[in-house]
């Protein structure tokens, strides 16, 4: 018994050792540069998906193994770890730090909620819209961490206002108590997920007493919490700095296709903002139908007398908003910097007309990027005084404030992805993969893209979004070249689908944060997440096959992509 317990406790060490041993035939038996690079890629994918080693340290493996295999010199591989992406990330985090420090996010969220009303359905839409909007500019995890305390306060106030005699009611057949899953072992897979969530992520497991409230109140809590978790991912895809996969994709494109100047903040917003709006509205309707039923008469009933619970909700929201007081000078400065950053991003190179970047010499060669704007305005936040001359000088944000929010883990993880992409190119692995995937050219292009989206959406439920997109980008771009399709036609939808991790608390940090409040179970998230995944994939495919085609010329093979005449040719 003791031996078995010891082996189980050291299972991570076993996987760390076994993974490279099982993959050793690639460099030892085959021995080509392609096989050696494949060894590195598969080893990193294994470690990333199982997280037996911290993700950033797994990202350091190319710096060790590529020079050891003679694929890339150490001096060269180290240069791939820091790119334009990192400067954009620094600038955006500076803005996010100021927004969070001075409470602008609370004002935005509460204002949006008061605009839509306190009916449970409209209240849910208000919170989802606020979280989605905030998530466009800050990390998804930060957006949920900002909004959920407000949501919880409103929910608790509503639950206090419930009528006497409203006792616990049996859940519908599709509701599953998380406590029973663990202690009765009725579902081994769900039991494992709950164990992983509670022990590894340190998220609280709901206790049986947490469900002793009336059915409608319980359903409202579930729908509201899931709406916040999902809207953070839905809003994040709208902008390039909104989520890590978008930024990784943008930098990968600059690295692998340096002559491609197709992607910028403006045209990405034109493509993805409608996707976010469609997903947000359909997700709202889906969650309402799932937890409240098919009575949609509320859509036509905005006025009328408020119930006791609605009055309680309005009271707590108004009190929260009044507690903020008038807009402070620091909030005004942050809002001005925020609006300025967005406007400069939108007008730098809009595509249909010359942008302000054309006023500078050599701008046509890409000297000025969105990172330049973000870094300049981020630097200003370290200089602009937070108070007037009557007080000691203090900048809007300090280094300690910035460092507390800066996701160094993501920065290192992305650097490892860039190094991996460079290794696949230098070793010839990307060309080998392209030849291997050539038979997919016989399928309709839309079918190929749909299959890729489904695979990525499935993998991202169990691996981090950043790790998933880092693994798949070096595989999917050769696929597009092999079937002679515009690489953007394959890479854009799969990048977006990487953010559709809605099924499990372990899928992403926003899900885990919301799960920790104890209002939802694993089966609630799985049941709701399946529908949102379908909505996301369909909305993405709709976008890239309609308004995305003229926006990025997806129906033609671009001159910036390598031409492989020996492969099959298929046009979208």
């Amino acid at each position: 018994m003791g031996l078995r317990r010891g082996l189980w406790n050291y299972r991570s060490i076993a996987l760390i050792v076994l993974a490279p041993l099982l993959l050793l035939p690639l460099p030892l038996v085959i021995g080509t540069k392609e096989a050696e690079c494949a060894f590195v890629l598969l080893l990193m994918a294994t470690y990333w998906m199982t997280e037996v080693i911290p993700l950033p340290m797994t990202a350091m493996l190319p710096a060790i193994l590529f020079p050891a295999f003679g694929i890339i010199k150490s001096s060269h591989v180290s240069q791939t770890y820091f790119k334009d992406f990192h400067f954009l990330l620094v600038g955006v985090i500076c803005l996010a730090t100021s927004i969070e420090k001075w409470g602008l996010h609370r004002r935005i969220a509460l204002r949006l909620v008061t605009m839509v009303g306190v009916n449970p359905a409209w209240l849910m839409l208000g919170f989802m819209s606020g979280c989605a909007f905030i998530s466009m500019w800050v990390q998804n995890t930060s957006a949920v961490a900002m909004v959920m305390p407000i949501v919880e306060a409103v929910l608790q106030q509503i639950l206090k206002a419930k009528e006497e005699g409203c006792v616990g009611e049996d859940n519908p057949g599709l509701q599953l108590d998380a406590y029973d899953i663990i202690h009765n072992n009725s579902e081994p897979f769900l039991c494992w997920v709950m164990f992983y969530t509670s022990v590894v992520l340190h998220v609280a497991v709901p206790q049986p007493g947490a469900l002793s409230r009336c059915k409608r109140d319980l359903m409202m809590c579930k729908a509201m919490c899931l709406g916040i978790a999902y809207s953070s991912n839905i809003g994040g895809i709208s902008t390039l700095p909104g989520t890590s996969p978008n930024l990784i994709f943008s930098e990968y494109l600059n690295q692998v296709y340096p002559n491609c100047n197709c992607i910028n903040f403006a045209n990405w917003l034109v493509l993805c903002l409608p996707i976010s709006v469609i997903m947000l509205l359909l997700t709202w309707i889906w969650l309402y139908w799932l937890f409240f039923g098919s009575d949609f008469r509320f859509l036509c009933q905005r006025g009328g007398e408020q119930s006791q619970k609605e009055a309680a909700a309005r009271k707590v929201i108004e009190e929260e908003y009044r507690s903020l007081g008038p807009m402070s000078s620091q909030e005004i400065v942050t809002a001005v910097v925020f609006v300025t950053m967005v406007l400069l991003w939108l007008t730098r190179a809009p595509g249909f007309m010359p942008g302000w970047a054309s006023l500078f010499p050599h701008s046509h060669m890409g000297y000025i990027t969105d990172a330049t704007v973000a870094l300049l305005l981020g630097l200003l936040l370290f200089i602009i005084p937070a108070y007037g001359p009557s007080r000691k000088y203090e900048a809007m944000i300090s280094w300690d404030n910035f460092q507390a929010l800066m996701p160094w883990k993501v920065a290192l993880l992305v650097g490892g992805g860039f190094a991996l992409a460079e290794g696949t190119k230098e070793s010839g692995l990307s060309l080998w993969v392209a030849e291997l995937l050539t038979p997919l050219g016989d399928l309709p292009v839309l079918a190929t893209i749909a299959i890729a989206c489904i695979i990525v959406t499935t993998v991202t439920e169990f691996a981090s979004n950043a790790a998933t997109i880092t693994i798949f980008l070096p595989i999917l771009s050769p696929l597009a070249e092999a079937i002679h399709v515009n690489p953007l036609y394959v890479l854009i939808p799969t990048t977006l689908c990487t953010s559709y991790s809605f099924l499990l608390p372990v899928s992403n940090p926003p899900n885990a944060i919301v799960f920790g409040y104890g209002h939802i179970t694993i089966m609630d998230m799985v049941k709701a997440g399946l529908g949102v995944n379908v909505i996301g994939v369909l909305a993405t495919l709709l976008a890239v096959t309609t308004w995305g085609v003229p926006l990025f010329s997806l129906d033609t093979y671009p001159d910036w992509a390598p031409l492989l005449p020996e492969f099959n040719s298929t046009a979208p």
Side-chain angles (χ1 to χ4, degrees), residues 179-200:
Y179 186 88
D180 290 338
I181 293 175
I182 291 183
H183 293 278
N184 296 338
N185 294 319
S186 57
E187 295 286 347
F189 172 71
L190 293 178
C191 178
W192 173 84
V193 173
M194 288 291 294
F195 172 80
Y196 183 85
T197 303
S198 60
V199 176
V200 179

Side-chain angles (χ1 to χ4, degrees), residues 283-352:
T283 300
W284 171 56
I285 293 172
W286 162 249
L287 291 175
Y288 184 87
W289 176 83
L290 193 63
F291 293 105
F292 291 98
S294 56
D295 183 6
F296 290 98
R297 287 178 295 179
F298 70 89
L299 291 171
C300 305
Q301 298 175 353
R302 290 299 308 276
E305 185 178 351
Q306 293 182 350
S307 68
Q308 185 181 3
K309 296 173 186 177
E310 290 174 355
R314 176 170 288 280
K315 179 182 177 182
V316 72
I317 291 171
E318 289 177 349
E319 288 177 353
E320 286 276 348
Y321 192 77
R322 279 197 300 269
S323 69
L324 297 177
M327 198 168 183
S328 65
S329 59
Q330 295 88 354
E331 289 179 88
I332 294 173
V333 170
T334 302
V336 169
V337 172
F338 167 70
V339 173
T340 303
M341 185 178 291
V342 173
L343 290 177
L344 289 176
W345 277 341
L346 289 172
T347 58
R348 177 180 65 84
F352 58 89

Side-chain angles (χ1 to χ4, degrees), residues 81-93:
Y81 273 85
F82 204 87
K83 297 287 185 178
D84 190 60
F85 155 86
H86 294 86
F87 289 117
L88 179 59
L89 183 64
V90 167
V92 170
I93 296 301

Side-chain angles (χ1 to χ4, degrees), residues 314-531:
R314 176 170 288 280
K315 179 182 177 182
V316 72
I317 291 171
E318 289 177 349
E319 288 177 353
E320 286 276 348
Y321 192 77
R322 279 197 300 269
S323 69
L324 297 177
M327 198 168 183
S328 65
S329 59
Q330 295 88 354
E331 289 179 88
I332 294 173
V333 170
T334 302
V336 169
V337 172
F338 167 70
V339 173
T340 303
M341 185 178 291
V342 173
L343 290 177
L344 289 176
W345 277 341
L346 289 172
T347 58
R348 177 180 65 84
F352 58 89
M353 60 176 287
W356 58 262
S358 62
L359 301 175
F360 292 85
H362 310 298
S363 62
H364 63 283
M365 298 179 65
Y367 276 57
I368 295 177
T369 66
D370 290 338
T372 312
V373 174
L375 204 57
L376 172 63
L377 294 177
L379 179 63
L380 287 179
L381 291 172
F382 282 96
I383 301 173
I384 299 174
Y387 304 101
S390 59
R391 294 185 56 172
K392 181 181 179 181
Y393 171 75
E394 179 184 341
M396 288 289 292
I397 59 175
S398 66
W399 177 255
D400 289 337
N401 300 145
F402 166 79
Q403 191 167 254
L405 280 186
M406 179 64 187
W408 299 109
K409 181 172 80 170
V410 174
L412 292 174
L413 174 64
V414 172
F418 296 152
L420 186 61
E422 184 70 14
T424 60
K425 178 181 175 183
E426 293 292 330
S427 66
L429 179 63
S430 59
L431 183 61
W432 181 84
V433 171
E435 294 174 349
L436 185 67
L437 297 175
T438 299
L440 289 178
D442 297 330
L443 292 175
V445 174
L446 187 58
T448 303
I449 296 172
I451 292 171
C453 288
I454 292 170
I455 292 173
V456 168
T457 304
T458 302
V459 172
T460 197
E461 302 293 351
F462 303 96
S464 74
N465 298 354
T468 302
I469 193 63
T470 303
I471 292 168
F472 277 94
L473 281 176
I475 297 173
L476 294 174
S477 56
L479 166 63
E481 297 167 10
I483 61 178
H484 206 70
V485 168
N486 190 325
L488 297 180
Y489 204 13
V490 178
L491 298 183
I492 289 177
T494 49
T495 297
L496 295 176
C497 287
T498 306
S499 296
Y500 301 161
S501 47
F502 303 122
L503 288 184
L504 300 169
V506 297
S507 297
N508 59 48
N511 290 5
I513 291 173
V514 168
F515 184 81
Y517 279 83
H519 296 299
I520 56 177
T521 66
I522 294 287
M523 277 307 298
D524 292 328
M525 190 169 283
V526 171
K527 181 177 60 176
L530 284 172

